[in-house]
Amino acid sequence: MSTGRGFHGPADLHLHSSRSDGTETPDAVMRAAHFHGLRTVSLTDHDTTAGWADAAPAAVSLGMTFLPGMELSARHAWRSVHLLAYLFDPGDAALAAEMSRIRDDRVGRAERIVANLSRDYDLTWADVVAQTTIDATVGRPHIADALVARGIVADRAAAFDGVLHPREGYYEPHYAPDPVTAVDLVVAAGGVPMIAHPTPSGRDRMMPVPVIEELIAHGLAGFEIDHRENTEAGKRVLRDLVRRHDLIVTGSSDYHGAGKPNRPGENTTDDAMVSRIIARGDGSAPVSP
Ligand code: AMP
Ligand code: FE
Ligand code: FE
Ligand code: ZN
């Protein structure tokens, strides 16, 4: 096994499987990544590590290096903030407890959204359960899939632009820690925390720079800058922070199988940055062929 230094190859460190809101099993995600020419991958399901056990051996059997990862849900004011976390210890009690608190609360929250929708649409909780893999982290994408199955909307994107958008009045929030707590938990578990898609347009737009600098002081490692949802203006602000604080930068697809148009490898992370993530994380180890 070789890890750490040296050549890693094209890297996409942000991929989702059916253990959260992706539409493919973990090993199918690894096959899709390999098909698109990737040699270094991470599975980053929302608030869970359940896919690692299947994804890691699948990646290695295809000749790819696998970095254990996750996308942890946090919230700053009204904003949903997603924290990519790499190489943390999945057995860390505090982090694991927070992850299960978020996952559990997501279930009740999804039931509340469905109850709201059922006032106006023919949709039941059973419809949503039918779209969800056992033990998956439940999210609005599963409700979107149920709406598609019922013929109420055409696809996930239409659901998010329509009834699942907070402005439509059916939305409910789920529990999520503030970003400082989230960064502290990942760092304490030996992991490397990076902000996912830090500068989208709209409601989840970038956190104020002083808030981001507080996160850096708590051990935030860097940003996912090359991501289709980031604005150009926001990326300039982030690149300035990267220079001033010597941060790590990634680029990734945020692949969700058929759930989004994003394709594996549409953005990639430089080798030198992969090496820095590996050097910094010590809660779990990358797995290589
Ligand atoms: P939730 O965390 O349950 O509020 O749902 C947010 C998730 O929905 C994100 O992780 C995205 O993967 C997904 N999502 C957001 N917008 C869209 C969209 N327009 N099309 C498909 N999936 C989306
Ligand atoms: Fe997602
Ligand atoms: Fe995200
Ligand atoms: Zn994601």
Side-chain angles (χ1 to χ4, degrees):
M1 187 172 100
S2 69
T3 56
R5 298 172 165 285
F7 180 71
H8 306 290
D12 186 342
L13 305 181
H14 188 168
L15 305 164
H16 292 270
S17 77
S18 50
R19 294 305 189 140
S20 63
D21 55 1
T23 60
E24 298 172 350
T25 60
D27 80 69
V29 172
M30 296 300 111
R31 280 184 268 122
H34 182 258
F35 175 81
H36 282 85
L38 294 164
R39 290 293 176 271
T40 309
V41 292
S42 181
L43 187 71
T44 53
D45 278 313
H46 299 281
D47 311 308
T48 182
T49 61
W52 293 4
D54 290 337
V60 169
S61 74
L62 293 163
M64 303 189 296
T65 295
F66 178 84
L67 273 62
M70 161 179 66
E71 189 173 10
L72 183 62
S73 304
R75 181 172 304 107
H76 177 259
W78 67 87
R79 289 179 192 82
S80 170
V81 174
H82 285 176
L83 199 67
L84 288 163
Y86 300 110
L87 300 166
F88 57 93
D89 174 4
D92 180 88
L95 180 57
E98 192 70 358
M99 290 160 62
S100 50
R101 182 176 174 188
I102 298 166
R103 286 197 310 270
D104 289 350
D105 196 70
R106 279 172 161 283
V107 178
R109 173 263 196 158
E111 288 178 307
R112 290 192 291 279
I113 294 176
V114 170
N116 295 344
L117 285 166
S118 69
R119 294 194 303 259
D120 298 321
Y121 297 95
D122 191 12
L123 185 77
T124 66
W125 180 240
D127 294 330
V128 176
V129 171
Q131 299 298 327
T132 311
T133 304
I134 302 285
D135 281 346
T137 302
V138 179
R140 281 182 291 161
H142 302 102
I143 302 174
D145 292 346
L147 289 162
V148 173
R150 280 278 186 179
I152 297 166
V153 296
D155 56 20
R156 281 188 182 184
F160 274 90
D161 289 343
V163 293
L164 293 179
H165 194 284
R167 78 168 106 74
E168 296 298 305
Y170 304 104
Y171 181 83
E172 302 278 345
H174 62 77
Y175 166 76
D178 66 86
V180 170
T181 301
V183 166
D184 285 347
L185 284 166
V186 171
V187 170
V192 183
M194 312 265 310
I195 306 180
H197 43 73
T199 173
S201 54
R203 176 182 153 96
D204 293 329
R205 65 185 174 275
M206 189 161 61
M207 291 183 281
V209 167
V211 174
I212 294 176
E213 287 184 319
E214 186 188 1
L215 297 179
I216 295 167
H218 280 255
L220 180 74
F223 310 118
E224 179 185 53
I225 291 191
D226 292 324
H227 183 290
R228 60 160 74 203
E229 286 165 29
N230 285 332
T231 64
E232 290 305 318
K235 286 196 257 191
R236 285 193 286 275
V237 174
L238 294 173
R239 288 200 184 99
D240 183 55
L241 281 165
V242 165
R243 270 192 298 276
R244 287 195 281 122
H245 298 277
D246 189 28
L247 302 177
I248 301 174
V249 168
T250 62
S252 26
S253 65
D254 206 354
Y255 181 60
H256 281 71
K260 282 187 173 181
N262 313 28
R263 293 299 97 187
E266 67 176 34
N267 296 295
T268 54
T269 297
D270 289 348
D271 245 44
M273 295 296 175
V274 174
S275 293
R276 283 178 67 179
I277 291 170
I278 291 172
R280 188 161 167 149
D282 63 1
S284 57
V287 189
S288 290

